[in-house]
Amino acid sequence: MNRVKELRQSLGLSQEELSKITNIPRTTISAIESGKATPSVDYALRLAKALRCTVEELFGEEEFVPFLGFKEGLFVSYQVGERRVLFPINLSEAEDCPEGYFKEGKVEWFNRQTLPTYTFAGCDPSFKLLSKALREEGIRLLVINLPSMKALELLKDGFVHMAGVHMGSFEENIRLARSFLGKRYKSVKLFSWEEGIAVREKYSLQELKGKLWLAREEGSGARKVFEELRKDMAIENFRVVSGGHEKIAFSLMEGFGDAGITTKAYALEYGLSFLGVKWEDYCLCYREDLEEDRNFLRVVDFLKSKRHTRLLSYLPGYEKKSLEEVLL
């Protein structure tokens, strides 16, 4: 299977437009995309030049990389650089039909998606709303719920396109991203949000010292805030809960703990009392060369748009001010 259709669509070109650029008949391009025709060396070179890649990238064997820990099951796929990542899906939660089945290192394709696809790793729930809005524009956004440091790790290792980071102020996020990622990355401050103490019942701060706290995993912004409180309040009784801000709020609502650090949005959604502790800047990091991709720029433009600002205004504890960008 070649990548002509995938790369053509990623550049926003129709078959007719690609035909005019390459001087290859549209019917021939259609046959090449469907695998019904094999291009000549001349046609292969023309297509590669028009689609800004090498002939090997266009018609050679793809490198398939299973997502971390994925060994067998149904998947959806996406391209990061020259690699195609196979991401496991849960049928009860998936918004997309599976593209294939992965087992013992072999791929069986069902119905390979050709939508431009990008992946975001982070803990901001508004990206789930963003993915629905982008789908209307013909772009698929996969959202992977992970703490900041894990998201940066996956970005650096080439498993995702974007990582969300909130480890303090914009300047603190930049220093962290620069030291971890190095150069050729860009960071954009999207908004600020409020993190604080969520509780099922109202307690004084003195009473909270002896209660059972729920803490997120290390490498998350919420865990950083918790460790600061833990030191100030001499908190000793806590247990770690993985799964993100929502998992903390849900666990508190279900009575698995008395207090925990989460965002104001999730605390209120689950009917918890909330005591604000800290406003943090939320930054998006991605490789600078992605800005050569016209469809990726559409994602970035949406994040900068008034429509996105209005969407965030409906979420408690979010505040969007002037946009700041830094090249790492």
Side-chain angles (χ1 to χ4, degrees):
M1 181 179 291
N2 64 67
R3 298 178 60 202
V4 176
K5 183 176 181 180
E6 174 191 342
L7 295 181
R8 172 178 63 78
Q9 291 185 333
S10 73
L11 293 173
L13 298 173
S14 66
Q15 287 184 345
E16 190 65 37
E17 289 171 328
L18 183 58
S19 172
K20 292 178 180 178
I21 294 171
T22 59
N23 199 25
I24 299 173
R26 188 201 63 76
T27 53
T28 302
I29 290 176
S30 178
I32 292 172
E33 288 185 350
S34 64
K36 296 178 181 178
T38 301
S40 65
V41 173
D42 179 42
Y43 277 11
L45 288 170
R46 290 192 215 176
L47 287 167
K49 182 178 180 181
L51 297 172
R52 306 173 190 174
C53 65
T54 66
V55 172
E56 290 73 20
E57 290 171 336
L58 197 56
F59 297 102
E61 288 294 323
E62 282 186 286
E63 179 187 0
F64 296 107
V65 181
F67 198 76
L68 300 182
F70 181 40
K71 296 181 180 179
E72 179 180 346
L74 298 167
F75 67 81
V76 293
S77 70
Y78 54 88
Q79 194 79 21
V80 180
E82 298 181 4
R83 302 192 303 178
R84 179 161 291 277
V85 180
L86 308 181
F87 186 77
I89 63 169
N90 183 329
L91 285 179
S92 63
E93 300 176 357
E95 296 183 4
D96 293 289
C97 293
E99 293 180 46
Y101 189 80
F102 179 69
K103 183 178 181 180
E104 297 178 352
K106 296 182 180 180
V107 176
E108 178 186 353
W109 291 100
F110 302 155
N111 182 27
R112 185 162 168 171
Q113 279 277 1
T114 57
L115 283 177
T117 299
Y118 305 98
T119 46
F120 165 80
C123 57
D124 172 32
S126 74
F127 267 78
K128 294 181 181 178
L129 301 178
L130 175 64
S131 69
K132 297 182 185 299
L134 287 173
R135 182 57 69 98
E136 297 173 4
E137 304 296 325
I139 294 176
R140 181 172 66 166
L141 177 66
L142 300 178
V143 179
I144 305 169
N145 192 345
L146 289 171
S148 297
M149 292 307 300
K150 186 64 177 178
L152 283 177
E153 180 182 328
L154 291 184
L155 175 62
K156 185 176 183 179
D157 291 343
F159 282 97
V160 298
H161 299 91
M162 299 170 278
V165 181
H166 69 104
M167 299 297 284
S169 67
F170 180 57
E171 292 73 21
E172 289 174 309
N173 290 334
I174 293 302
R175 285 197 296 270
L176 173 65
R178 183 176 284 126
S179 65
F180 190 87
L181 296 173
K183 298 180 179 180
R184 301 189 304 277
Y185 289 86
K186 195 166 188 178
S187 185
V188 181
K189 185 179 81 171
L190 297 179
F191 54 81
S192 299
W193 71 3
E194 189 175 16
E195 285 195 303
I197 304 170
V199 293
R200 290 179 64 221
E201 302 177 22
K202 291 186 177 181
Y203 299 105
S204 67
L205 289 177
Q206 186 64 35
E207 291 174 319
L208 281 174
K209 290 182 180 180
K211 298 297 181 180
L212 174 60
W213 286 71
L214 303 182
R216 286 199 63 195
E217 58 269 53
E218 292 185 5
S220 65
R223 180 59 179 266
K224 183 182 176 184
V225 174
F226 172 73
E227 290 299 336
E228 292 169 357
L229 279 179
R230 181 185 174 195
K231 181 179 179 180
D232 292 340
M233 298 175 61
I235 297 169
E236 297 182 358
N237 191 17
F238 74 95
R239 68 182 183 88
V240 177
V241 175
S242 60
H245 296 284
E246 184 175 17
K247 188 65 175 293
I248 292 288
F250 174 80
S251 298
L252 290 172
M253 181 190 72
E254 292 294 315
F256 295 115
D258 301 303
I261 301 298
T262 187
T263 63
K264 184 175 183 178
Y266 274 130
L268 298 187
E269 180 178 337
Y270 282 88
L272 305 171
S273 297
F274 180 80
L275 175 62
V277 172
K278 189 176 185 180
W279 280 88
E280 294 180 328
D281 292 328
Y282 200 99
C283 295
L284 183 72
C285 299
Y286 57 86
R287 286 189 64 90
E288 181 190 8
D289 56 15
L290 265 177
E291 294 190 339
E292 298 174 9
D293 182 337
R294 185 161 59 180
N295 283 311
F296 179 76
L297 287 179
R298 291 168 62 195
V299 177
V300 175
D301 287 343
F302 189 96
L303 289 168
K304 298 177 181 179
S305 69
K306 292 181 179 179
R307 182 180 177 188
H308 186 246
T309 300
R310 186 169 63 252
L311 184 153
L312 293 180
S313 69
Y314 298 125
L315 301 176
Y318 281 71
E319 187 174 276
K320 189 167 184 177
K321 296 181 178 179
S322 59
L323 203 70
E324 296 184 62
E325 302 180 48
V326 170
L327 185 63
L328 303 183

